[in-house]
Amino acid sequence: MRATLANMAPQGFRAMWAELAEVGRDGGTGGYRRFAWTRTDAVLREWFTGQAEARGMDVVTDRAGNLWAWTVDPDAHGPGLVLGSHLDSVPDGGAFDGPLGVVSAFAALDLLRAAGQEPARPLGIACFGDEEGARFGVACAGSKLLTGALDADRARGLTDAEGTSMAEAMTQAGFDAAAVGPDEETLRRIGTFVELHVEQGRALVDTGAAVGVASSIWSHGRWRLDLRGRADHAGTTRLADRDDPMLALAAAVQEARAAAERAGTVATIGKLAVAPNGVNAIPSSVTAWLDARGDEADVRTVVAEVGAAAGVIPVEESWTGPTVFDAGLRDRLAAALGTDGVPAPVLPTGAGHDAGILAAAGVPTAMLFVRNPTGVSHSPAEHAEEADCLAGVAALARVVQELG
Amino acid sequence: MRATLANMAPQGFRAMWAELAEVGRDGGTGGYRRFAWTRTDAVLREWFTGQAEARGMDVVTDRAGNLWAWTVDPDAHGPGLVLGSHLDSVPDGGAFDGPLGVVSAFAALDLLRAAGQEPARPLGIACFGDEEGARFGVACAGSKLLTGALDADRARGLTDAEGTSMAEAMTQAGFDAAAVGPDEETLRRIGTFVELHVEQGRALVDTGAAVGVASSIWSHGRWRLDLRGRADHAGTTRLADRDDPMLALAAAVQEARAAAERAGTVATIGKLAVAPNGVNAIPSSVTAWLDARGDEADVRTVVAEVGAAAGVIPVEESWTGPTVFDAGLRDRLAAALGTDGVPAPVLPTGAGHDAGILAAAGVPTAMLFVRNPTGVSHSPAEHAEEADCLAGVAALARVVQELG
């Protein structure tokens, strides 16, 4: 059966991919700008609904604005297996992060039907809203509102760069902002959720496998380093008399890399604010943000070491504990997707996903990753080979056979 | 004579200082915001004219907008000795940078007259316009227009942050922008120019002297470091797979300090631009600006070393060669201002001044520095002790005795 599925023609996948390719694409960078509750977002939602209806699926929108397409009514036939991901993007994002999971879900259903295998249980395909948080600053907003992890009033009050609130944006998009909130009815329909996603690193490259299974999402935190100095004239202040916070920044950047290497985590300083930021002025302050992910104890060690190197106590701005996916489900899928008795690779990830939000809410959840040859993501250069994408489609079809 | 002058009552100095203290002062920071061709600038010009007229001096405005007060007509009695400095400030600047030179010049004339020593030759006191370049971005704009070092059309077209051109700002201030240009007639009146300025470092603190004489203004350049990386996800990209330009920045910052220490120069990275500057994004680029000053060969060595550390060729955005003040004048003043046969300290500076612009144009020029206990300048914390300021007044009076 698996050989049959894997060998099927890729036309359906290619057609969907081509339809999405131009939606929200920036003509200059080639990257995507698909932000929540915009006209581009509406086009993507219309595309999703059209694909579902073409397959005879009914689409419902939940109270958080996520879309659910069902082969048969889960309220009548019991909770179903749900596949899917999201269609929105970061600024100048790639084509794969999100859409690959949605397109692959539809293509997997096509594969099964072409083989005469209509799923026995209700099969759902989800399109989560606002996963990247690019417009309002909160990632996984759709799934967090659904589970209650994000307070509805707080979400309604979030504003974008133009000062438009999420409530206003929802209203402009024709969505009922007042009704936003946790949606137990929708959650009850989900027997199991499996999200396929392009890998955002290169772990699979080393394993030689096109598809892997997620073990966990690392702990993840953000800290602010407030590096203080003394504003002074860059031409006349002797080196020995300077209190230049740029030197503390340099130490923090280097220690973030070194400490992460020692601990086996990742740590990044990607955002800075320099005051007064003048060519001829020694800065009075440099503010640096540290993003660190990994096992909690390791991450906290790294953060403390970076703070010590910079001479400050890092200020914690956010902390999310680890998400461990359902172990039984993980092992079952790794076995089902393995070759010659060798399970598919099982790997952790440093990125947050809607699957992690559902798992934290108690939904049996798994993730599949499709190999990314460069590991690049959140960039127009994000890529996966078509053969690997089709292997992902076949893997999702296999998941439906196993669980559906 | 010198003891007599130094012991005279400081009331005149204090009165002038108190009058200026509130002009253009920001109530929040306590710093000064005295920018060219603004209402605050007009108040400062009126104050200068009032002080001159109270001393029986005639004030003329040159074609570049600088003010010149004369005890007697230099066209009739030959080129004179000119003292003075400027009254404008950087944003949130201190009280001393500029005003100390103007106030001390008037106070020195008062000292001499109180001792019955009316200067024999014409004595001028200058108030240069737009020395800091805070509004239109070009430092020493008044003196550079006067000597022709700044093209009049280019100056007229410079715009401030609101898009107002210098020509429009001059017109609004009642000044004839169309007539702006080099002013040979004004230059011919200057036999010698001596600018007193608060020191912008701590070299005098180590000498134990309240007043020193300038030897030269260092060479000064600005370079841009274009540090390229690859935008990537901060959570999922393995350390080994990253191309993070923040590490090159860290190396550049550290090498700027280390190379400057080795070379005996100063070097500063005070301005950065990070893209995309997101907390969870490895930057695609970091642009850093390097300000370096000192002897030319030393500066060029430092810049090359910083570039090598960062893996880039620095792009030169500006270069100004050294200004060496008139050696005979320098030694004569150092001797006249010395104690017990020991000349006053002679020291270089890393900052640009109107005195440097005049020296470069061939005017016999000298500078005096007044001790700054912290070395801080361009900041509300800029300071000089009153006793040292009064020593500066006495020194200027001694200069008039020596040269005037």
Side-chain angles (χ1 to χ4, degrees), chain A residues 70-82 120-124 184-193 363-364 403-404:
Chain A
W70 287 101
T71 52
V72 294
D73 183 0
D75 294 336
H77 300 278
L81 167 65
V82 180
R121 291 169 57 197
L123 179 70
E184 282 297 327
E185 189 179 3
T186 294
L187 285 172
R188 272 199 304 272
R189 294 174 183 146
I190 314 170
T192 305
F193 178 60
V363 175
L403 305 177

Side-chain angles (χ1 to χ4, degrees), chain A residues 97 200-203 205-206 218 220 222 230-244 246-247 249-251 253-254 256-257 260-261 265-283 286 289-291 293 317 349-353 374-379, chain B residues 97 200-203 205-206 218 220 222 230-244 246-247 249-251 253-254 256-257 260-261 265-283 286 289-291 293 317 349-353 374-379:
Chain A
D97 181 347
Q200 295 172 283
R202 295 180 68 251
V205 171
D206 292 342
W218 283 346
H220 167 210
R222 285 178 186 176
R230 191 180 58 243
D232 241 329
H233 193 296
T236 58
T237 312
R238 294 187 304 189
L239 299 177
D241 293 334
R242 297 179 176 211
D243 181 4
D244 183 350
M246 205 65 89
L247 289 166
L249 171 68
V253 167
Q254 292 179 328
R257 172 60 63 96
E261 281 176 350
T265 67
V266 292
T268 308
I269 292 177
K271 180 176 177 178
L272 301 176
V274 180
N277 207 31
V279 177
N280 65 349
I282 297 163
V286 174
W289 282 265
L290 172 68
D291 178 305
R293 313 186 192 207
E317 291 198 335
T349 175
H353 294 285
T374 63
V376 171
S377 71
H378 285 191
S379 153
Chain B
D97 181 348
Q200 295 172 284
R202 296 180 67 250
V205 171
D206 293 342
W218 282 346
H220 167 211
R222 286 179 186 176
R230 190 178 60 242
D232 241 328
H233 193 296
T236 59
T237 312
R238 296 187 302 190
L239 299 176
D241 293 333
R242 297 180 175 209
D243 181 5
D244 183 349
M246 206 63 89
L247 290 166
L249 172 69
V253 167
Q254 291 179 328
R257 172 60 63 96
E261 281 176 350
T265 66
V266 292
T268 307
I269 292 178
K271 180 176 178 178
L272 301 177
V274 180
N277 208 31
V279 178
N280 65 349
I282 298 162
V286 174
W289 281 265
L290 172 68
D291 178 303
R293 315 187 191 207
E317 292 197 336
T349 177
H353 294 285
T374 65
V376 171
S377 71
H378 285 191
S379 153

Side-chain angles (χ1 to χ4, degrees), chain B residues 12-39:
Chain B
F13 178 91
R14 280 184 194 152
M16 284 187 278
W17 205 248
E19 286 173 10
L20 286 177
E22 294 308 314
V23 182
R25 189 152 180 252
D26 183 280
T29 64
Y32 291 92
R33 308 182 69 82
R34 297 165 169 170
F35 308 142
W37 305 112
T38 60
R39 179 65 203 142

